Amino acid sequence: MAERIDDDAPEVEETADAASELPKSVIDRAFLILGTFQGGRVRQSLSDISRRTGLPIATCYRIVQRLAEWGALERDGESRYRIGLRLWEVASLAPRSVGLQRLARPFMQDLYETTGYASHLAIREGTELVSIDRFQSPRRRVRRPLVGGRYPLHATAIGQVLLAHAPEDIREEVLSGPLEAFTTNTYTRREDLEKALDDIRRQGFAVSDRQVDLIHIGVAAPVWGPEGHVVAAVSLALTEADVDGKNMVHLVRITANGISRVLREAGYVDAAG
């Protein structure tokens, strides 16, 4: 059933506590709304957006309408909203995601086609990794990561590579914080994770053995930018039955080195946070 709200509808009064926690400016509220389109939420109703932001539905309606007019959101025939083409056009100018993705994509596809396993490319943003590309077989689907999704750094092979080469303050923030346990294999003690990060820097690759779920084993290697910093990482998702350790590590490192070479030749500039 379509949702209808008049633009001049009275706004639901916010409680004092709720109002104090919500952003005040229109632009911050717009960012809050756009931020709900994550974690696999591709289509949302106005009620969904209101519930997830905590904003009154009339406020959501006015801001969502403006975002839709500009093209940041689009409304389908079922009155649900999704990210609009205009926002994608703007995002395509971001060199850390789309520029890197464009240069890395042929290597990622070769890695996938050579091995038949899901290949993944990610960058670090603060204390999280952001997935920017992946290839996988429709017959061997890996549920996560979702392209555009954000994930913790401490559990996956690709996240551990990015964390191992992150600035010291970022490593300390992750090591000092709670390390969520996804399985009994996940690093939850600082000393265990620190040792693993030391090994990754020394060996040049990471292996995460069923630390996110009890099925997949990740193998990852760093991608180096022209200025000598790790700007991304590449990984494969295997199962215990698939594992051919040395060969998989070798292929992932070849892929990462190939992407690093192309980035140097292209003069890629990273602005990592």
Side-chain angles (χ1 to χ4, degrees):
M1 184 175 180
E3 297 177 80
R4 296 180 58 85
I5 297 182
D6 295 331
D7 195 29
D8 57 356
E11 186 164 317
V12 177
E13 184 178 353
E14 301 173 22
T15 66
D17 288 344
S20 66
E21 295 174 0
L22 292 172
K24 302 298 183 185
S25 72
V26 172
I27 191 166
D28 285 338
R29 292 183 174 205
F31 289 151
L32 190 63
I33 288 170
L34 293 174
T36 63
F37 289 88
Q38 294 182 12
R41 292 191 291 267
V42 178
R43 298 167 65 244
Q44 299 187 91
S45 68
L46 192 64
S47 296
D48 293 333
I49 297 170
S50 175
R51 184 177 67 255
R52 290 180 176 128
T53 58
L55 295 171
I57 199 163
T59 300
C60 274
Y61 176 77
R62 286 195 290 272
I63 297 174
V64 163
Q65 287 298 103
R66 291 293 297 123
L67 289 170
E69 288 170 9
W70 185 77
L73 294 178
E74 296 174 353
R75 192 167 97 165
D76 63 21
E78 298 178 350
S79 294
R80 292 181 177 270
Y81 294 89
R82 59 193 176 198
I83 294 296
L85 185 61
R86 182 80 176 273
L87 198 61
W88 179 87
E89 290 171 348
V90 173
S92 70
L93 301 175
R96 287 194 65 213
S97 57
V98 180
L100 174 60
Q101 179 196 53
R102 177 178 56 81
L103 293 169
R105 182 161 264 258
F107 296 91
M108 299 295 298
Q109 185 168 3
D110 283 349
L111 180 63
Y112 159 67
E113 291 178 351
T114 299
T115 64
Y117 307 137
S119 62
H120 178 213
L121 179 69
I123 60 176
R124 180 185 61 79
E125 181 76 9
T127 59
E128 297 176 307
L129 71 83
V130 179
S131 173
I132 62 173
D133 205 1
R134 73 171 182 171
F135 287 85
Q136 66 172 356
S137 168
R139 293 186 299 276
R140 297 180 52 144
R141 285 200 172 274
V142 178
R143 187 171 62 87
R144 299 175 79 180
L146 299 173
V147 173
R150 290 174 174 264
Y151 304 96
L153 294 169
H154 70 283
T156 61
I158 200 166
Q160 290 165 10
V161 166
L162 294 169
L163 181 59
H165 295 280
E168 186 175 349
D169 61 325
I170 296 293
R171 289 202 307 275
E172 180 59 31
E173 185 174 350
V174 174
L175 289 164
S176 299
L179 300 173
E180 181 181 357
F182 298 99
T183 73
T184 55
N185 294 340
T186 309
Y187 294 129
T188 56
R189 298 196 313 162
R190 178 188 178 116
E191 53 267 37
D192 294 336
L193 182 55
E194 272 187 312
K195 182 181 183 304
L197 299 180
D198 289 340
D199 291 342
I200 291 166
R201 286 189 292 271
R202 177 173 52 83
Q203 296 171 349
F205 64 90
V207 177
S208 173
D209 187 353
R210 289 162 291 190
Q211 293 193 48
V212 176
D213 59 43
L214 294 175
I215 298 173
H216 293 99
I217 298 171
V219 179
V223 173
W224 297 84
E227 298 179 354
H229 304 297
V230 169
V231 298
V234 174
S235 72
L236 280 178
L238 316 168
T239 68
E240 189 176 18
D242 299 326
V243 171
D244 175 5
K246 289 185 178 179
N247 195 36
M248 292 302 105
V249 167
H250 180 63
L251 291 173
V252 170
R253 295 185 76 180
I254 286 176
T255 300
N257 289 339
I259 298 171
S260 301
R261 185 186 69 252
V262 167
L263 295 184
R264 288 194 302 271
E265 292 171 354
Y268 175 83
V269 177
D270 175 56

